[in-house]
Amino acid sequence: MLITPMTAAHWPAVKAIYEAGIATGNATFETQAPAWDAWDKAHLGHSRLVAVDAAGAVLGWAALSPVSSRCVYGGVAELSIYVGTEARGQGVGRQLLQALIADSEAHGIWTLQAGTFAENTASIGLHTQAGFRVVGYRERIGRHHGVWRNTVQLERRSPSIGTA
């Protein structure tokens, strides 16, 4: 497996993995994947990664979104990470998240945050194993297919950025 920067050429595979995550009902409040242009505008230009196998097939992806347009939050980003159905349980998510952390820090991000449905224990476990801590629980934060959902908020602070 190789982790490499995501390009527009990866979008069809990235979108398919995102749609599979959406279909689980426990990955996101979104109900459909956006077009590339909308996705591209919503995410930071750096720290967009894909994991590919030896044949070049995309196994998973990770990317960052800004949490605010205010300059004081310029080093804070929300992450998204999705692993293809066939690649789950093989360490793809762990390696993608480790690479995303390193890349985000190389770009001056001092805090990564993630919000996940409370039922998504695999995602919560992935994040906590990577050094994220649970910082909150948002009850009935939004409706998903007509049902109120709760989310767990996780955060990871860089040990090397923003400590001085």
Side-chain angles (χ1 to χ4, degrees):
M1 179 178 63
L2 175 68
I3 297 179
T4 186
M6 181 192 300
T7 68
H10 293 117
W11 179 244
V14 166
K15 182 180 178 189
I17 291 170
Y18 190 29
E19 289 172 334
I22 290 169
T24 69
N26 280 327
T28 179
F29 279 106
E30 300 299 329
T31 56
Q32 63 184 20
W36 166 253
D37 289 342
W39 188 93
D40 184 43
K41 288 177 186 172
H43 291 80
L44 296 177
H46 63 79
S47 305
R48 300 173 174 195
L49 305 173
V50 290
V52 296
D53 66 13
V58 176
L59 304 172
W61 63 272
L64 299 179
S65 303
V67 299
S68 175
S69 61
R70 295 181 61 200
C71 64
V72 297
Y73 297 112
V76 182
E78 182 171 6
L79 73 94
S80 297
I81 185 165
Y82 287 80
V83 176
T85 306
E86 310 81 33
R88 292 182 190 150
Q90 299 175 27
V92 174
R94 179 181 46 79
Q95 291 183 52
L96 263 173
L97 187 51
Q98 289 172 346
L100 184 69
I101 290 167
D103 197 60
S104 72
E105 289 181 345
H107 285 91
I109 302 297
W110 60 80
T111 300
L112 291 175
Q113 65 183 45
T116 186
F117 288 131
E119 296 84 0
N120 194 343
T121 56
S123 180
I124 295 167
L126 172 68
H127 286 84
T128 56
Q129 289 172 4
F132 285 71
R133 65 188 178 96
V134 174
V135 294
Y137 181 79
R138 300 180 85 183
E139 187 175 329
R140 295 170 45 97
I141 192 65
R143 287 182 184 247
H144 185 245
H145 299 295
V147 176
W148 286 105
R149 298 295 297 267
N150 305 326
T151 60
V152 174
Q153 302 305 120
L154 299 112
E155 175 181 276
R156 182 190 181 277
R157 295 218 179 233
S158 169
S160 59
I161 300 174
T163 58

